[in-house]
Amino acid sequence: MSNKVHCAHVLVKTKQEADTVLERLKKGEKFAKIAKEVSLCPSRKRGGDLGFFGRGKMMKEFEKTAFTLKRGQTSPIIKTKFGYHIIKRLE
């Protein structure tokens, strides 16, 4: 099991916005393009790219999901105190 993951994410305020992001992804839009357009996180400038991070660096719910994804896989909607995230495992 890897002790670091490389992920990108999109952070939005509402479940409805997160549902819209998932719909756009299903239609084939690029994750980075959507992140740049709608994410509330400063990582939006990098297409949502958070770089590599280890355990204990992110919100528990976020981290748990990030470490279970396979490379290239996109998560379902994850709720944290910051809002609603969709995570994509890059490496």
Side-chain angles (χ1 to χ4, degrees):
M1 183 181 245
S2 176
N3 57 356
K4 286 199 171 192
V5 290
H6 184 190
C7 293
H9 80 135
V10 174
L11 170 64
V12 292
K13 274 275 178 247
T14 68
K15 170 114 173 28
Q16 188 176 2
E17 287 173 295
D19 285 334
T20 301
V21 170
L22 283 181
E23 282 304 310
R24 290 175 67 182
L25 288 169
K26 279 185 190 134
K27 288 177 183 162
E29 280 192 66
K30 294 275 184 254
F31 194 94
K33 175 183 178 277
I34 298 170
K36 283 177 181 167
E37 288 176 15
V38 301
S39 186
L40 301 172
C41 180
S43 69
R44 70 186 288 173
K45 294 182 190 84
R46 299 181 302 278
D49 193 337
L50 296 167
F52 283 90
F53 58 88
R55 296 188 184 276
K57 298 288 180 207
M58 301 288 177
M59 297 290 300
K60 194 170 57 188
E61 311 90 316
F62 186 100
E63 178 182 293
K64 184 177 165 203
T65 300
F67 276 88
T68 61
L69 294 172
K70 291 174 177 56
R71 179 189 274 172
Q73 192 176 21
T74 302
S75 74
I77 296 166
I78 309 299
K79 186 178 189 320
T80 69
K81 69 179 184 181
F82 298 109
Y84 295 84
H85 307 260
I86 290 119
I87 308 166
K88 181 171 184 173
R89 172 95 179 250
L90 302 176
E91 290 179 54

